[in-house]
Amino acid sequence: MRHFAIRLIYAAAALFLALMVSSLMLQIVAREFKLPVDWTEEMSRFAFISMVFLASAYATIKRRHLRVSVFSDFVARRIGNRAVAVFHLTILFGFDSVMVWYSGYNFVDGLQFANISPALGFNQNILFAAMCLGFGASALVNLTDLVAVLTGRGDGTLDGGRPKERHA
Amino acid sequence: ADEPNPIDWTSAPEVDGQQVMKLGHSVNMVWSSHTATLKRFAELVQIYTNNEIKAEIFPGAQLGGEREMMQQARQGVLQVTLPATNNAAALAPTLNVFILPYLATSTDEVNCLQDKITPLIVDQVIEEAGTRIVGWENSGWRAFFYKSDDPIEKPSDLANLKMRVPPNPIMIASYEAWGGNPTPLAWNELYNALQQGVVEGGDNPVTDVIGMKFHEVINRMTKFHYTILTHPIMVSERWFQSLSPEHQEAVLRAGKEATDYIRWWQPIDEANWWQQAEDAGVTITEIEDESEWIEKARAIWPDYYDSLGENGEELAQTALKLVEECKAEM
Amino acid sequence: MSDVTLALAVLFPILLLLGVPIYAALGITGLVVTWLTNVPLVFATQSILNGLDNFPLLAIPAFILAGNLMESGGITNDIIRIFRRSFGHVHGSLGIVTILSCMFFAAISGSGPGTVAAIGAIMIPAMIRQGYPAPYSAAVSATGGTLGVLIPPSNPMIIYAIIANVSVTDLFAAGMLPGLIVGLTLAAVAYFAARRSGAVVTQVQDEQEQDSVASLMWQGKWALAMPPIVLGGIYTGLFTPVEASVVAVAYALVVSLVVYRSMTWEGFNRAFEGAVLMGGALMIVVACSTLFARTITLERIPQELVELFSLISSEPLVILLLINILLLIIGTFMETISAIIILAPILVPLVRNFGIDPIHFGIILIINIEIAFLTPPLGVNLFVGSQIAGVSIEKVFRAILPFIAALIGLLALITLVPGLSLLIPSLLR
Ligand code: NA
Ligand code: NA
């Protein structure tokens, strides 16, 4: 189930990236051949924005976010990995939750007060749904890891990128 | 900077209980009629509220783009903003009525239409976007600017040019009606795109063309009157309703007087910009007879009645009737 | 100290030091300031989302994807072979190659991070496989990428020119000579830094690398055709530099699928996964930095700082020195375009009052921006380099220090000698 959800987030992000690339490609071709296509710039921007939030959630899953770790590694050696991991995961879970709440609010509010894009006629406020989903997925991952650390089943480190099974 | 200076309203002292009115707009330059309007409005609000409301202006889209600032005004982050009508229409479709090509064809008609129609639509715009129109600024008629050997004189001249169009459905449709090639392109890519020849031109008032330095990368402009760039002075309705009746009165009065002021100042200023364009070596073409442009552009109106919000067709007819009234009065 | 200043000056550094991801440190500080100033919190999510609604940003994930596709499709390999055969015996030469490639790409791209993404995606893997240390490879690409904004065209220069009301063409011309000087200096630094970095040039293992350069070039013709296609397309007005990023993607795909027939489903998937991971990690930082910049703006903090110094001295050089220090500090935590939009309107009248040419000042500002791209906590070029190389920001930053030192020296030179900036524009006028 969890594995499936992760694949789904990655697949959605990758599809948005592909959509961004292909609509910009179409923009170049259409301009050269004077085809009446006026929505490519919008489509690529909207795909890009949606991609970023889902990709950021995927980066949370893979623990690939940019951070400065020298000092916290030093602290971790002194007071133990667990305390530092609990601190990081609590902070991240808190931030993600606030983002989920307000992007959700912006989405609902934005359905009533629409912001209609000129070429596609798309209500741009719907993009807040991607933001809400991305931060929501990120919140779930951080919460699961927090629980795992508190119950002694995981180390909760934020350094991913190495081939390591996080959810054994 | 802390010394009160009688000719600089920003130097008025801070006093206890003073409210801050934040004004956001997207223009970077000190030269524009856009900036002049907001400064005038800010100053008048401060005077008429006896320094009980102090203004802070945030230019250059520091707080976000024009549509975003409108959302911020609705939600109470900002109190005042000055979006281009064609952008504001994305949030308040009613405003698309002003974009209908060749609705009014002279500045006097535009001013008269704004005065007559605003009271009729102000509540609808509040409902759509949560912002109240308290005044207007005109930046001038949109003119073609482009790099080409031949001038644009008739619609068919557009066929060989790739033109960047402002992001508005009615404007895109107008180009298509003339047989042009509207090309979507981000505003911040336009200078480079003109220089490299990705597009050949676009349309904006002359002040924007010179202000954005496009005259360095184009060689021609064509004057015509399909639509004028206007900006409603938008006040956050949430904030407006929180004000005392005296302060509300002051805001409305400041809006009215800022409008009158800029209507006097802008044409004087614009002539100056056309002179600068000429001095910069831009060849300026005037279209003597716009009837072919008018005929083709007006033909798209019925397709866009729906995009003027509810009762779109009725609104368009009302606007047309008001323009006729205005013409009769002139 | 007000609550807001406290949050910015204390909370933000503490979060960063404690190893909270940079996007969250920026976002949390922004949220706290938003809350302290009684601004509705929906402002925070709105600013973060709209921070991404900026077209030129699209080039970054697209160039990264193009680089990954070239790598998994074997195109990068061909380029590496040619490099190894031609320069392999010259220690440190790939550092020079990287800087020179950046200079060429900078002559068509107006963006700093876009330039690192385009060149770094090819050169970083190439250097690492040649035996150069990963932090060095990231550092030299990130630094070379900053030339994107100094060598014309340049997006920040256009924005500055409009605010300062100077000619874009003149400002572009003013960037040429400094661009050349900075580029050549960085190439020299890259060479010496490579020699000191302990790079071990790996022995040639590949059978084909015994071939002559000419024969390798013929074998690698499809790889070598890519730069002329991308550069040529931009020069002839077929596409913009941002659009060029997707042309690069399409080219890499077509060559590896049709010509090389080397693209596997795994390789394709790996290229996308890498681009998604890097794109997500990089762009969410840019998004959250928008909120951070806006809260600073709402509080008018930059304005207050600038007002402070006009009181300190009336000597033009002292003012320029103070402005440089302020810009270097602000450049550590603020994103480029935001910094220009907020600072230029206040700084330009100030320097004009002191008789400093606004074009000269524009070049000074751009060199500061180059440095800002490389300095944490918010250094987008640094981040792109570190992501592509897969090493920590700290390690890349350590490797970048000699380059920053060189750039600060060049900043002093360009500040003190206005002629370097003003000569070419005056000749062209
Ligand atoms: Na450049
Ligand atoms: Na920085």
Side-chain angles (χ1 to χ4, degrees):
Chain A
M1 181 62 205
R2 182 183 167 116
H3 184 73
F4 177 73
I6 291 172
R7 293 309 298 168
L8 199 65
I9 289 174
Y10 163 62
L15 278 178
F16 279 123
L17 180 61
L19 181 62
M20 174 190 110
V21 170
S22 29
S23 51
L24 266 186
M25 200 61 217
L26 177 63
Q27 171 160 318
I28 300 168
V29 175
R31 187 174 48 229
E32 227 26 61
F33 293 96
K34 306 211 156 97
L35 305 175
V37 181
D38 56 15
W39 44 265
T40 45
E41 193 261 353
E42 276 176 21
M43 180 72 92
S44 60
R45 249 183 319 120
F46 299 160
F48 167 75
I49 295 171
S50 312
M51 184 272 286
V52 171
F53 289 115
L54 297 168
S56 166
Y58 193 57
T60 300
I61 294 165
K62 297 278 173 185
R63 296 299 178 198
R64 284 283 295 269
H65 279 296
L66 290 156
R67 66 192 196 99
V68 179
S69 56
V70 177
F71 183 74
S72 74
D73 288 353
F74 169 77
V75 174
R77 282 196 296 276
R78 284 300 182 80
I79 64 169
N81 274 326
R82 237 181 99 172
V84 173
V86 169
F87 169 79
H88 282 156
L89 294 169
T90 312
I91 288 251
L92 286 174
F93 175 67
F95 178 64
D96 290 341
S97 308
V98 176
M99 288 292 109
V100 168
W101 178 263
Y102 285 101
S103 55
Y105 174 88
N106 265 315
F107 171 67
V108 175
D109 171 81
L111 290 180
Q112 189 195 342
F113 294 97
N115 175 7
I116 302 296
S117 78
L120 286 167
F122 174 77
N123 180 359
Q124 273 179 253
N125 291 323
I126 290 173
L127 296 174
F128 282 105
M131 183 175 187
C132 192
L133 276 175
F135 277 106
S138 184
L140 276 179
V141 172
N142 287 321
L143 182 65
T144 323
D145 280 12
L146 180 60
V147 172
V149 173
L150 289 175
T151 53
R153 282 183 295 114
D155 67 354
T157 173
L158 297 190
D159 288 317
R162 338 175 184 135
K164 170 183 67 166
E165 186 48 60
R166 283 167 23 80
H167 312 291
Chain B
D2 294 334
E3 291 284 300
N5 172 349
I7 54 168
D8 178 10
W9 57 275
T10 55
S11 73
E14 284 184 27
V15 293
D16 281 344
Q18 193 178 40
Q19 279 198 49
V20 174
M21 173 176 75
K22 296 192 179 84
L23 301 89
H25 67 117
S26 66
V27 173
N28 264 327
M29 321 88 182
V30 280
W31 45 260
S32 67
S33 59
H34 201 269
T35 312
T37 308
L38 277 188
K39 283 188 174 158
R40 189 68 166 195
F41 178 74
E43 176 183 41
L44 291 174
V45 168
Q46 198 156 347
I47 293 171
Y48 294 148
T49 60
N50 196 22
N51 201 24
E52 284 164 10
I53 298 182
K54 187 180 168 64
E56 280 179 2
I57 300 184
F58 297 91
Q62 290 176 357
L63 298 176
E66 293 188 338
R67 298 161 178 217
E68 196 185 348
M69 284 189 280
M70 267 181 78
Q71 290 185 316
Q72 289 169 353
R74 173 168 59 77
Q75 292 167 338
V77 177
L78 279 176
Q79 283 71 50
V80 184
T81 184
L82 195 69
T85 309
N86 51 297
N87 288 330
L91 292 100
T94 303
L95 293 175
N96 265 325
V97 72
F98 292 101
I99 311 298
L100 288 173
Y102 286 110
L103 171 60
T105 50
S106 74
T107 309
D108 287 339
E109 284 171 33
V110 170
N111 294 343
C112 171
L113 174 67
Q114 286 171 345
D115 291 343
K116 284 180 189 282
I117 205 171
T118 305
L120 305 179
I121 61 171
V122 76
D123 288 331
Q124 204 167 319
V125 171
I126 290 172
E127 203 168 294
E128 286 168 346
T131 54
R132 174 181 290 266
I133 302 174
V134 300
W136 286 93
E137 177 266 345
N138 301 336
S139 301
W141 293 90
R142 285 183 173 273
F144 290 128
F145 57 91
Y146 50 104
K147 183 152 60 180
S148 168
D149 294 336
D150 305 309
I152 300 176
E153 285 169 335
K154 48 190 189 306
S156 58
D157 295 334
L158 284 174
N160 296 319
L161 297 170
K162 284 169 281 184
M163 302 290 274
R164 185 260 176 194
V165 201
N168 180 282
I170 301 180
M171 290 178 163
I172 294 172
S174 304
Y175 270 77
E176 283 166 354
W178 293 324
N181 307 291
T183 299
L185 193 83
W187 177 244
N188 46 13
E189 286 237 283
L190 188 49
Y191 184 94
N192 280 336
L194 286 166
Q195 190 171 42
Q196 286 157 342
V198 177
V199 294
E200 275 93 27
D203 74 71
N204 271 94
V206 65
T207 35
D208 283 353
V209 175
I210 306 281
M212 298 298 292
K213 312 286 170 197
F214 293 150
H215 62 279
E216 297 175 354
V217 284
I218 54 120
N219 62 345
R220 287 180 183 278
M221 291 186 70
T222 292
K223 285 183 176 181
F224 69 143
H225 298 87
Y226 97 104
T227 189
I228 186 170
L229 176 60
T230 59
H231 299 81
I233 306 175
M234 297 276 218
V235 165
S236 164
E237 180 63 5
R238 177 192 282 210
W239 175 70
F240 187 79
Q241 291 305 335
S242 75
L243 296 176
S244 69
E246 294 76 29
H247 283 177
Q248 287 186 348
E249 198 50 48
V251 167
L252 294 175
R253 182 175 169 198
K256 169 89 182 60
E257 291 179 14
T259 307
D260 291 342
Y261 165 76
I262 208 66
R263 282 179 184 173
W264 163 77
W265 185 81
Q266 189 273 334
I268 300 173
D269 184 55
E270 187 178 338
N272 196 14
W273 291 102
W274 280 112
Q275 189 55 50
Q276 282 197 42
E278 231 177 290
D279 294 347
V282 176
T283 309
I284 296 160
T285 305
E286 294 204 40
I287 299 179
E288 298 295 334
D289 176 14
E290 295 187 38
S291 50
E292 195 188 347
W293 295 89
I294 297 178
E295 192 187 318
K296 292 199 156 129
R298 280 208 177 156
I300 69 162
W301 277 29
D303 299 341
Y304 287 88
Y305 288 150
D306 284 348
S307 68
L308 313 186
E310 289 169 47
N311 316 324
E313 184 166 2
E314 201 184 316
L315 182 62
Q317 298 311 330
T318 308
L320 209 52
K321 203 182 82 216
L322 292 174
V323 172
E324 290 309 319
E325 270 178 45
C326 290
K327 281 183 184 157
E329 287 164 19
M330 273 167 209
Chain C
M1 217 189 246
S2 75
D3 290 349
V4 172
T5 330
L6 206 66
L8 292 170
V10 179
L11 175 65
F12 182 55
I14 285 186
L15 287 173
L16 283 173
L17 266 185
L18 289 176
V20 173
I22 295 169
Y23 83 92
L26 289 162
I28 290 167
T29 315
L31 265 177
V32 169
V33 174
T34 308
W35 179 71
L36 286 173
T37 46
N38 292 320
V39 171
L41 287 176
V42 283
F43 172 70
T45 37
Q46 238 184 42
S47 299
I48 290 173
L49 187 132
N50 285 296
L52 293 171
D53 198 356
N54 181 7
F55 189 72
L57 290 178
L58 273 63
I60 296 170
F63 273 129
I64 291 176
L65 177 62
N68 290 353
L69 287 169
M70 289 171 70
E71 166 101 57
S72 21
I75 302 176
T76 312
N77 219 9
D78 276 359
I79 300 177
I80 292 172
R81 236 183 241 146
I82 297 165
F83 282 158
R84 279 157 81 119
R85 190 70 181 78
S86 337
F87 311 106
H89 50 287
V90 188
H91 212 148
S93 54
L94 282 192
I96 300 178
V97 171
T98 306
I99 298 284
L100 294 182
S101 312
C102 285
M103 285 173 76
F104 272 109
F105 194 76
I108 51 141
S109 156
S111 143
T115 308
V116 198
I119 302 297
I122 302 165
M123 289 307 296
I124 292 175
M127 279 189 278
I128 293 176
R129 257 195 269 162
Q130 178 97 333
Y132 288 70
Y136 169 84
S137 313
V140 70
S141 306
T143 314
T146 67
L147 291 166
V149 296
L150 179 61
I151 295 176
S154 160
N155 299 343
M157 277 190 195
I158 294 178
I159 295 172
Y160 172 81
I162 289 163
I163 297 173
N165 199 15
V166 296
S167 152
V168 180
T169 315
D170 283 358
L171 196 60
F172 278 4
M176 287 177 184
L177 193 53
L180 193 67
I181 295 171
V182 172
L184 295 179
T185 310
L186 290 179
V189 176
Y191 176 72
F192 289 111
R195 299 197 68 112
R196 285 201 47 194
S197 71
V200 180
V201 178
T202 48
Q203 292 305 307
V204 174
Q205 308 137 339
D206 198 327
E207 284 279 293
Q208 281 166 304
E209 283 179 40
Q210 309 301 335
D211 296 358
S212 72
V213 177
S215 124
L216 282 176
M217 283 177 76
W218 176 246
Q219 290 169 38
K221 57 185 175 299
W222 291 98
L224 291 176
M226 184 159 189
I229 286 176
V230 170
L231 301 188
I234 299 173
Y235 269 124
T236 53
L238 219 51
F239 37 80
T240 69
V242 177
E243 291 166 348
S245 63
V246 305
V247 175
V249 171
Y251 184 82
L253 257 183
V254 169
V255 170
S256 52
L257 282 175
V258 179
V259 183
Y260 285 27
R261 296 167 186 266
S262 54
M263 184 61 83
T264 60
W265 172 248
E266 282 72 33
F268 182 76
N269 193 39
R270 198 171 60 238
F272 264 85
E273 184 170 10
V276 163
L277 275 173
M278 290 184 217
L282 288 167
M283 291 302 119
I284 198 72
V285 176
V286 173
C288 291
S289 78
T290 309
L291 168 63
F292 190 81
R294 286 187 184 173
T295 51
I296 294 177
T297 310
L298 271 175
E299 282 302 295
R300 315 204 136 232
I301 287 169
Q303 280 90 335
E304 281 169 18
L305 284 173
V306 172
E307 275 170 25
L308 257 180
F309 327 144
S310 44
L311 304 174
I312 296 178
S313 171
S314 56
E315 193 58 41
L317 271 181
V318 178
I319 287 291
L320 278 181
L321 177 71
L322 286 172
I323 290 178
N324 274 329
I325 292 171
L326 171 86
L327 290 173
L328 288 176
I329 294 170
I330 286 190
T332 58
F333 60 82
M334 208 153 165
E335 193 266 322
T336 336
I337 302 288
S338 323
I340 297 186
I341 292 177
I342 293 159
L343 289 171
I346 9 179
L347 288 176
V348 171
L350 184 73
V351 299
R352 273 213 168 104
N353 270 344
F354 286 97
I356 298 160
D357 189 308
I359 293 197
H360 177 213
F361 182 68
I363 301 301
I364 294 175
L365 187 73
I366 296 292
I367 309 247
N368 271 294
I369 284 168
E370 288 196 73
I371 298 170
F373 274 137
L374 300 174
T375 48
L378 188 63
V380 182
N381 279 31
L382 171 71
F383 296 167
V384 177
S386 117
Q387 280 282 327
I388 297 177
V391 282
S392 75
I393 298 169
E394 293 95 319
K395 282 189 183 143
V396 181
F397 182 62
R398 229 170 293 146
I400 252 174
L401 284 172
F403 293 98
I404 294 184
L407 282 173
I408 291 179
L410 290 164
L411 173 63
L413 177 74
I414 284 163
T415 306
L416 291 170
V417 188
L420 292 176
S421 312
L422 299 175
L423 178 69
I424 294 188
S426 70
L427 289 179
L428 291 181
R429 234 173 258 156

